[in-house]
Amino acid sequence: MPGVNDAVLSPPPPGHAGGPKVLLEVFGCQMNKLDAELMATALRRGGYDFTDRDEEADAVMLVTCSIRDQAEHRVHSHLGELAQLKQRRPELAVGVLGCMAQREGDALLKRWPSLDFVAGTRDFPAVADILDEVRADHTRVLAIEGAPDVRTPRDPALRPHKARAFVSVMRGCHKRCTYCVVPKTRGDEVSRPMDDILTECRALVDDGVQELTLLGQTVNGWGRREGRSLGDLLAALQEMDGLQRVRFITSHPEEMDDALIEAMAACPKAGLFLHLPPQSGSDAVLRRMARGYTVARYLQIVEQLRARVPGIELGGDIIAGFCGETEDDHQATLALLDAVRFSQAYIFRYSPRPGTPAWGRLDDDVPDEVKRRRLAELLTRQNEIMLERHRGMLGSVHEVLVEGASRRDATRLFGRTLAFDRIVFPGEPEWVDALVSVQVNDATALTLSGERVAAPVA
Ligand code: SAH
Ligand code: SF4
Ligand code: F3S
């Protein structure tokens, strides 16, 4: 779960530029990125335009994340800067949306007199109306009561990337992992109907999308309560002409079953990567987290996946220093890293969150310096594993979907392999959004480097 702060900017449709300018800043996970895209649609329809510079913005909106304390700190410090900007430019409208808005609600308006509106995770479709109201009447607005809406209209043409798009297949989460604030900020799980999803996917593919990423907190449990399975969606998308790749995040080990593994095996477009967070390598800790599986079951799923989808790579999330975690538990998590050899992993210190099942019930008893030490050990081990794996890939050739210029070096392109490995290589701007073959010739723990080759993908 990358910590991002990207402006969502899609090119204005012809004849549509020139309205008041909005700066949308996005924190948190892919759900927020997609919500920000949907907000962008609503704002465009409402006559607004976009900017990525706060000096020229008429409104700044922060789409926020509550997952860890630090994520919220970043937003508060940003609100401090915006309060200063607003002293110089009182007409600037400032809004907080997303998970933190949902969690804190009115408390945010009270803490920040400079804040004009707060809109929760189910209220963003109304964002243009809210902004109109704030700008016209100089009132302050709190909107956190929205009903779960899985049918937010989408303009397929308004998206930041030509060849890639996120599609929401479910909202909210019905699990109650004891550390996690998401069920509180995003509400209970609602799956979106299959026809609805496929119509949106078709429209996106017709408009040039080659890679779809289906989003849900427990995406592999999509439709279960309506008697459907994510496998039905994968089968339909495998048949969709023009679509090259389908990803889906995030999968929950408890929702993994034989039928879904078979469906993945029958869907080559699903590629060679699955994000399947284990959170810990200790059964005692998993029990306290209420994750609903054991380490043995997790490893059994991994083995089965690797047998049925040869070459599949796994991504993991790990929490270091959860309540009651002993040194033995920590060693068990290190052993899990060795056993699975994740191709990537997001590893963070446990951060107690108000309103979660653990809050006030489980003692946050691992001292911070121990959490930091365990985190460092996990990161070091995971880096070694990734470097070894990447070095083993030297000389191999991969099909790469080119995403754009490399952020570090504008003379190089950045793309992803079918196994979701990051790769940079010298290239021409016209290769962006294309599938090309790239041979790996160098590697760090995080990124591969290579050279485009004419040879077919091995
Ligand atoms: N629905 C997904 C994850 C959503 S949150 C799943 O079940 O896997 C993304 C990641 O943030 C989690 O996988 C977890 O590793 C991490 N996370 C969640 N709450 C946290 C907390 N209180 N402290 C530290 N990390 C946390
Ligand atoms: Fe949070 Fe657990 Fe739901 Fe994931 S499955 S969003 S970790 S409660
Ligand atoms: Fe995502 Fe953060 Fe909300 S991880 S669901 S934006 S709390």
Side-chain angles (χ1 to χ4, degrees), residues 46-73:
Y48 287 93
D49 203 351
F50 296 97
T51 176
D52 56 0
R53 296 181 24 230
D54 52 11
E55 316 90 75
E56 63 169 37
D58 298 293
V60 177
M61 299 187 191
L62 310 182
V63 187
T64 59
C65 173
S66 287
I67 202 79
R68 283 169 288 269
D69 195 39
Q70 219 183 359
E72 296 199 344
H73 271 309

PDB file of all heavy atoms in Angstrom, residues 46-73:
ATOM      1  N   GLY A  46     -19.250  19.681 -13.155  1.00  0.00           N
ATOM      2  CA  GLY A  46     -19.707  20.889 -12.471  1.00  0.00           C
ATOM      3  C   GLY A  46     -19.009  22.147 -12.982  1.00  0.00           C
ATOM      4  O   GLY A  46     -19.182  23.214 -12.401  1.00  0.00           O
ATOM      5  N   GLY A  47     -18.186  22.033 -14.027  1.00  0.00           N
ATOM      6  CA  GLY A  47     -17.569  23.211 -14.646  1.00  0.00           C
ATOM      7  C   GLY A  47     -16.222  23.589 -14.056  1.00  0.00           C
ATOM      8  O   GLY A  47     -15.701  24.664 -14.340  1.00  0.00           O
ATOM      9  N   TYR A  48     -15.638  22.733 -13.238  1.00  0.00           N
ATOM     10  CA  TYR A  48     -14.340  23.058 -12.638  1.00  0.00           C
ATOM     11  C   TYR A  48     -13.191  22.579 -13.517  1.00  0.00           C
ATOM     12  O   TYR A  48     -13.323  21.663 -14.326  1.00  0.00           O
ATOM     13  CB  TYR A  48     -14.222  22.423 -11.243  1.00  0.00           C
ATOM     14  CG  TYR A  48     -15.086  23.131 -10.225  1.00  0.00           C
ATOM     15  CD1 TYR A  48     -16.384  22.694  -9.963  1.00  0.00           C
ATOM     16  CD2 TYR A  48     -14.617  24.262  -9.569  1.00  0.00           C
ATOM     17  CE1 TYR A  48     -17.186  23.360  -9.045  1.00  0.00           C
ATOM     18  CE2 TYR A  48     -15.424  24.924  -8.656  1.00  0.00           C
ATOM     19  CZ  TYR A  48     -16.703  24.471  -8.398  1.00  0.00           C
ATOM     20  OH  TYR A  48     -17.494  25.146  -7.504  1.00  0.00           O
ATOM     21  N   ASP A  49     -12.050  23.215 -13.317  1.00  0.00           N
ATOM     22  CA  ASP A  49     -10.822  22.864 -14.025  1.00  0.00           C
ATOM     23  C   ASP A  49      -9.785  22.431 -12.974  1.00  0.00           C
ATOM     24  O   ASP A  49     -10.055  22.501 -11.778  1.00  0.00           O
ATOM     25  CB  ASP A  49     -10.333  24.103 -14.796  1.00  0.00           C
ATOM     26  CG  ASP A  49      -9.439  23.715 -15.951  1.00  0.00           C
ATOM     27  OD1 ASP A  49      -9.059  22.538 -16.054  1.00  0.00           O
ATOM     28  OD2 ASP A  49      -9.110  24.614 -16.745  1.00  0.00           O
ATOM     29  N   PHE A  50      -8.594  22.017 -13.407  1.00  0.00           N
ATOM     30  CA  PHE A  50      -7.614  21.487 -12.443  1.00  0.00           C
ATOM     31  C   PHE A  50      -6.261  22.175 -12.563  1.00  0.00           C
ATOM     32  O   PHE A  50      -5.911  22.718 -13.608  1.00  0.00           O
ATOM     33  CB  PHE A  50      -7.428  19.980 -12.652  1.00  0.00           C
ATOM     34  CG  PHE A  50      -8.682  19.222 -12.369  1.00  0.00           C
ATOM     35  CD1 PHE A  50      -9.532  18.861 -13.404  1.00  0.00           C
ATOM     36  CD2 PHE A  50      -9.041  18.929 -11.076  1.00  0.00           C
ATOM     37  CE1 PHE A  50     -10.712  18.205 -13.137  1.00  0.00           C
ATOM     38  CE2 PHE A  50     -10.221  18.276 -10.794  1.00  0.00           C
ATOM     39  CZ  PHE A  50     -11.059  17.911 -11.839  1.00  0.00           C
ATOM     40  N   THR A  51      -5.526  22.123 -11.466  1.00  0.00           N
ATOM     41  CA  THR A  51      -4.154  22.629 -11.475  1.00  0.00           C
ATOM     42  C   THR A  51      -3.325  21.740 -10.557  1.00  0.00           C
ATOM     43  O   THR A  51      -3.873  21.033  -9.715  1.00  0.00           O
ATOM     44  CB  THR A  51      -4.080  24.083 -10.976  1.00  0.00           C
ATOM     45  OG1 THR A  51      -2.706  24.477 -10.925  1.00  0.00           O
ATOM     46  CG2 THR A  51      -4.656  24.234  -9.564  1.00  0.00           C
ATOM     47  N   ASP A  52      -2.004  21.776 -10.720  1.00  0.00           N
ATOM     48  CA  ASP A  52      -1.170  21.068  -9.743  1.00  0.00           C
ATOM     49  C   ASP A  52      -0.351  22.047  -8.919  1.00  0.00           C
ATOM     50  O   ASP A  52       0.575  21.662  -8.231  1.00  0.00           O
ATOM     51  CB  ASP A  52      -0.278  20.014 -10.419  1.00  0.00           C
ATOM     52  CG  ASP A  52       0.593  20.614 -11.493  1.00  0.00           C
ATOM     53  OD1 ASP A  52       0.513  21.843 -11.713  1.00  0.00           O
ATOM     54  OD2 ASP A  52       1.348  19.850 -12.126  1.00  0.00           O
ATOM     55  N   ARG A  53      -0.708  23.373  -8.972  1.00  0.00           N
ATOM     56  CA  ARG A  53       0.051  24.371  -8.200  1.00  0.00           C
ATOM     57  C   ARG A  53      -0.873  25.108  -7.249  1.00  0.00           C
ATOM     58  O   ARG A  53      -1.863  25.703  -7.682  1.00  0.00           O
ATOM     59  CB  ARG A  53       0.726  25.350  -9.154  1.00  0.00           C
ATOM     60  CG  ARG A  53       1.757  24.619 -10.009  1.00  0.00           C
ATOM     61  CD  ARG A  53       2.514  25.481 -10.991  1.00  0.00           C
ATOM     62  NE  ARG A  53       2.581  26.866 -10.630  1.00  0.00           N
ATOM     63  CZ  ARG A  53       2.270  27.841 -11.477  1.00  0.00           C
ATOM     64  NH1 ARG A  53       1.844  27.573 -12.691  1.00  0.00           N
ATOM     65  NH2 ARG A  53       2.383  29.096 -11.099  1.00  0.00           N
ATOM     66  N   ASP A  54      -0.528  25.073  -5.935  1.00  0.00           N
ATOM     67  CA  ASP A  54      -1.478  25.675  -4.997  1.00  0.00           C
ATOM     68  C   ASP A  54      -1.567  27.193  -5.154  1.00  0.00           C
ATOM     69  O   ASP A  54      -2.593  27.784  -4.843  1.00  0.00           O
ATOM     70  CB  ASP A  54      -1.254  25.229  -3.532  1.00  0.00           C
ATOM     71  CG  ASP A  54       0.163  25.417  -3.054  1.00  0.00           C
ATOM     72  OD1 ASP A  54       0.922  26.085  -3.780  1.00  0.00           O
ATOM     73  OD2 ASP A  54       0.498  24.898  -1.976  1.00  0.00           O
ATOM     74  N   GLU A  55      -0.503  27.856  -5.713  1.00  0.00           N
ATOM     75  CA  GLU A  55      -0.603  29.315  -5.893  1.00  0.00           C
ATOM     76  C   GLU A  55      -1.740  29.688  -6.831  1.00  0.00           C
ATOM     77  O   GLU A  55      -2.309  30.759  -6.718  1.00  0.00           O
ATOM     78  CB  GLU A  55       0.672  29.943  -6.476  1.00  0.00           C
ATOM     79  CG  GLU A  55       1.988  29.494  -5.918  1.00  0.00           C
ATOM     80  CD  GLU A  55       2.530  28.320  -6.677  1.00  0.00           C
ATOM     81  OE1 GLU A  55       3.027  28.514  -7.794  1.00  0.00           O
ATOM     82  OE2 GLU A  55       2.440  27.197  -6.158  1.00  0.00           O
ATOM     83  N   GLU A  56      -2.046  28.826  -7.814  1.00  0.00           N
ATOM     84  CA  GLU A  56      -3.085  29.237  -8.756  1.00  0.00           C
ATOM     85  C   GLU A  56      -4.412  28.506  -8.513  1.00  0.00           C
ATOM     86  O   GLU A  56      -5.355  28.648  -9.284  1.00  0.00           O
ATOM     87  CB  GLU A  56      -2.619  29.057 -10.205  1.00  0.00           C
ATOM     88  CG  GLU A  56      -2.322  27.647 -10.606  1.00  0.00           C
ATOM     89  CD  GLU A  56      -2.123  27.507 -12.123  1.00  0.00           C
ATOM     90  OE1 GLU A  56      -1.549  28.424 -12.735  1.00  0.00           O
ATOM     91  OE2 GLU A  56      -2.563  26.483 -12.667  1.00  0.00           O
ATOM     92  N   ALA A  57      -4.492  27.756  -7.402  1.00  0.00           N
ATOM     93  CA  ALA A  57      -5.724  27.003  -7.131  1.00  0.00           C
ATOM     94  C   ALA A  57      -6.793  27.897  -6.515  1.00  0.00           C
ATOM     95  O   ALA A  57      -6.502  28.770  -5.698  1.00  0.00           O
ATOM     96  CB  ALA A  57      -5.422  25.850  -6.184  1.00  0.00           C
ATOM     97  N   ASP A  58      -8.049  27.692  -6.930  1.00  0.00           N
ATOM     98  CA  ASP A  58      -9.186  28.328  -6.256  1.00  0.00           C
ATOM     99  C   ASP A  58      -9.679  27.446  -5.116  1.00  0.00           C
ATOM    100  O   ASP A  58     -10.344  27.917  -4.203  1.00  0.00           O
ATOM    101  CB  ASP A  58     -10.320  28.552  -7.265  1.00  0.00           C
ATOM    102  CG  ASP A  58      -9.882  29.491  -8.377  1.00  0.00           C
ATOM    103  OD1 ASP A  58      -9.653  30.670  -8.084  1.00  0.00           O
ATOM    104  OD2 ASP A  58      -9.723  29.029  -9.531  1.00  0.00           O
ATOM    105  N   ALA A  59      -9.387  26.153  -5.223  1.00  0.00           N
ATOM    106  CA  ALA A  59      -9.777  25.223  -4.151  1.00  0.00           C
ATOM    107  C   ALA A  59      -8.708  24.145  -4.023  1.00  0.00           C
ATOM    108  O   ALA A  59      -8.183  23.677  -5.036  1.00  0.00           O
ATOM    109  CB  ALA A  59     -11.118  24.579  -4.475  1.00  0.00           C
ATOM    110  N   VAL A  60      -8.377  23.798  -2.793  1.00  0.00           N
ATOM    111  CA  VAL A  60      -7.454  22.676  -2.543  1.00  0.00           C
ATOM    112  C   VAL A  60      -8.221  21.613  -1.775  1.00  0.00           C
ATOM    113  O   VAL A  60      -8.864  21.904  -0.766  1.00  0.00           O
ATOM    114  CB  VAL A  60      -6.221  23.118  -1.732  1.00  0.00           C
ATOM    115  CG1 VAL A  60      -5.319  21.911  -1.437  1.00  0.00           C
ATOM    116  CG2 VAL A  60      -5.428  24.187  -2.476  1.00  0.00           C
ATOM    117  N   MET A  61      -8.175  20.393  -2.287  1.00  0.00           N
ATOM    118  CA  MET A  61      -8.882  19.294  -1.624  1.00  0.00           C
ATOM    119  C   MET A  61      -7.907  18.179  -1.316  1.00  0.00           C
ATOM    120  O   MET A  61      -7.178  17.726  -2.196  1.00  0.00           O
ATOM    121  CB  MET A  61      -9.945  18.731  -2.560  1.00  0.00           C
ATOM    122  CG  MET A  61     -10.973  19.737  -2.937  1.00  0.00           C
ATOM    123  SD  MET A  61     -12.241  18.887  -3.857  1.00  0.00           S
ATOM    124  CE  MET A  61     -13.102  20.296  -4.451  1.00  0.00           C
ATOM    125  N   LEU A  62      -7.921  17.736  -0.079  1.00  0.00           N
ATOM    126  CA  LEU A  62      -7.032  16.660   0.331  1.00  0.00           C
ATOM    127  C   LEU A  62      -7.850  15.387   0.481  1.00  0.00           C
ATOM    128  O   LEU A  62      -8.817  15.358   1.247  1.00  0.00           O
ATOM    129  CB  LEU A  62      -6.361  17.005   1.662  1.00  0.00           C
ATOM    130  CG  LEU A  62      -5.695  18.390   1.749  1.00  0.00           C
ATOM    131  CD1 LEU A  62      -5.032  18.559   3.122  1.00  0.00           C
ATOM    132  CD2 LEU A  62      -4.659  18.571   0.647  1.00  0.00           C
ATOM    133  N   VAL A  63      -7.481  14.370  -0.273  1.00  0.00           N
ATOM    134  CA  VAL A  63      -8.175  13.083  -0.184  1.00  0.00           C
ATOM    135  C   VAL A  63      -7.302  12.215   0.724  1.00  0.00           C
ATOM    136  O   VAL A  63      -6.203  11.815   0.350  1.00  0.00           O
ATOM    137  CB  VAL A  63      -8.354  12.458  -1.583  1.00  0.00           C
ATOM    138  CG1 VAL A  63      -9.227  11.216  -1.488  1.00  0.00           C
ATOM    139  CG2 VAL A  63      -8.949  13.468  -2.552  1.00  0.00           C
ATOM    140  N   THR A  64      -7.783  11.964   1.938  1.00  0.00           N
ATOM    141  CA  THR A  64      -6.890  11.566   3.030  1.00  0.00           C
ATOM    142  C   THR A  64      -7.003  10.101   3.434  1.00  0.00           C
ATOM    143  O   THR A  64      -7.963   9.421   3.111  1.00  0.00           O
ATOM    144  CB  THR A  64      -7.223  12.409   4.274  1.00  0.00           C
ATOM    145  OG1 THR A  64      -8.590  12.166   4.593  1.00  0.00           O
ATOM    146  CG2 THR A  64      -7.002  13.887   4.018  1.00  0.00           C
ATOM    147  N   CYS A  65      -5.992   9.661   4.206  1.00  0.00           N
ATOM    148  CA  CYS A  65      -5.867   8.276   4.662  1.00  0.00           C
ATOM    149  C   CYS A  65      -5.707   8.265   6.180  1.00  0.00           C
ATOM    150  O   CYS A  65      -5.042   9.131   6.749  1.00  0.00           O
ATOM    151  CB  CYS A  65      -4.632   7.667   4.006  1.00  0.00           C
ATOM    152  SG  CYS A  65      -4.207   6.027   4.611  1.00  0.00           S
ATOM    153  N   SER A  66      -6.296   7.264   6.835  1.00  0.00           N
ATOM    154  CA  SER A  66      -6.234   7.151   8.302  1.00  0.00           C
ATOM    155  C   SER A  66      -5.507   5.907   8.758  1.00  0.00           C
ATOM    156  O   SER A  66      -5.541   5.585   9.947  1.00  0.00           O
ATOM    157  CB  SER A  66      -7.654   7.062   8.878  1.00  0.00           C
ATOM    158  OG  SER A  66      -8.283   8.304   8.806  1.00  0.00           O
ATOM    159  N   ILE A  67      -4.872   5.183   7.855  1.00  0.00           N
ATOM    160  CA  ILE A  67      -4.459   3.824   8.183  1.00  0.00           C
ATOM    161  C   ILE A  67      -3.452   3.784   9.337  1.00  0.00           C
ATOM    162  O   ILE A  67      -3.496   2.897  10.174  1.00  0.00           O
ATOM    163  CB  ILE A  67      -3.937   3.090   6.925  1.00  0.00           C
ATOM    164  CG1 ILE A  67      -4.017   1.588   7.097  1.00  0.00           C
ATOM    165  CG2 ILE A  67      -2.540   3.495   6.532  1.00  0.00           C
ATOM    166  CD1 ILE A  67      -5.359   1.012   6.902  1.00  0.00           C
ATOM    167  N   ARG A  68      -2.537   4.752   9.347  1.00  0.00           N
ATOM    168  CA  ARG A  68      -1.578   4.861  10.449  1.00  0.00           C
ATOM    169  C   ARG A  68      -1.560   6.304  10.926  1.00  0.00           C
ATOM    170  O   ARG A  68      -1.891   7.219  10.170  1.00  0.00           O
ATOM    171  CB  ARG A  68      -0.168   4.432   9.995  1.00  0.00           C
ATOM    172  CG  ARG A  68       0.005   2.932   9.885  1.00  0.00           C
ATOM    173  CD  ARG A  68       1.289   2.554   9.195  1.00  0.00           C
ATOM    174  NE  ARG A  68       1.208   2.854   7.777  1.00  0.00           N
ATOM    175  CZ  ARG A  68       0.787   1.987   6.858  1.00  0.00           C
ATOM    176  NH1 ARG A  68       0.453   0.779   7.188  1.00  0.00           N
ATOM    177  NH2 ARG A  68       0.714   2.354   5.592  1.00  0.00           N
ATOM    178  N   ASP A  69      -1.110   6.483  12.164  1.00  0.00           N
ATOM    179  CA  ASP A  69      -1.075   7.804  12.761  1.00  0.00           C
ATOM    180  C   ASP A  69      -0.304   8.793  11.878  1.00  0.00           C
ATOM    181  O   ASP A  69      -0.709   9.928  11.674  1.00  0.00           O
ATOM    182  CB  ASP A  69      -0.390   7.645  14.129  1.00  0.00           C
ATOM    183  CG  ASP A  69      -0.625   8.854  14.983  1.00  0.00           C
ATOM    184  OD1 ASP A  69      -1.746   9.385  14.939  1.00  0.00           O
ATOM    185  OD2 ASP A  69       0.317   9.279  15.679  1.00  0.00           O
ATOM    186  N   GLN A  70       0.804   8.305  11.326  1.00  0.00           N
ATOM    187  CA  GLN A  70       1.658   9.178  10.523  1.00  0.00           C
ATOM    188  C   GLN A  70       0.937   9.740   9.294  1.00  0.00           C
ATOM    189  O   GLN A  70       1.161  10.882   8.890  1.00  0.00           O
ATOM    190  CB  GLN A  70       2.863   8.367  10.061  1.00  0.00           C
ATOM    191  CG  GLN A  70       4.126   9.156  10.092  1.00  0.00           C
ATOM    192  CD  GLN A  70       5.285   8.329   9.548  1.00  0.00           C
ATOM    193  OE1 GLN A  70       5.130   7.162   9.178  1.00  0.00           O
ATOM    194  NE2 GLN A  70       6.439   8.935   9.486  1.00  0.00           N
ATOM    195  N   ALA A  71       0.055   8.904   8.715  1.00  0.00           N
ATOM    196  CA  ALA A  71      -0.687   9.348   7.527  1.00  0.00           C
ATOM    197  C   ALA A  71      -1.544  10.557   7.899  1.00  0.00           C
ATOM    198  O   ALA A  71      -1.661  11.516   7.119  1.00  0.00           O
ATOM    199  CB  ALA A  71      -1.568   8.210   7.008  1.00  0.00           C
ATOM    200  N   GLU A  72      -2.114  10.532   9.097  1.00  0.00           N
ATOM    201  CA  GLU A  72      -2.946  11.660   9.530  1.00  0.00           C
ATOM    202  C   GLU A  72      -2.092  12.880   9.897  1.00  0.00           C
ATOM    203  O   GLU A  72      -2.476  14.015   9.621  1.00  0.00           O
ATOM    204  CB  GLU A  72      -3.830  11.245  10.708  1.00  0.00           C
ATOM    205  CG  GLU A  72      -4.828  10.170  10.308  1.00  0.00           C
ATOM    206  CD  GLU A  72      -6.008  10.062  11.266  1.00  0.00           C
ATOM    207  OE1 GLU A  72      -5.911  10.601  12.382  1.00  0.00           O
ATOM    208  OE2 GLU A  72      -7.015   9.448  10.876  1.00  0.00           O
ATOM    209  N   HIS A  73      -0.920  12.633  10.477  1.00  0.00           N
ATOM    210  CA  HIS A  73      -0.009  13.745  10.796  1.00  0.00           C
ATOM    211  C   HIS A  73       0.337  14.556   9.558  1.00  0.00           C
ATOM    212  O   HIS A  73       0.387  15.780   9.589  1.00  0.00           O
ATOM    213  CB  HIS A  73       1.305  13.206  11.379  1.00  0.00           C
ATOM    214  CG  HIS A  73       1.255  13.063  12.863  1.00  0.00           C
ATOM    215  ND1 HIS A  73       0.861  14.083  13.683  1.00  0.00           N
ATOM    216  CD2 HIS A  73       1.554  12.030  13.675  1.00  0.00           C
ATOM    217  CE1 HIS A  73       0.909  13.689  14.937  1.00  0.00           C
ATOM    218  NE2 HIS A  73       1.313  12.426  14.951  1.00  0.00           N
TER     219      HIS A  73
END
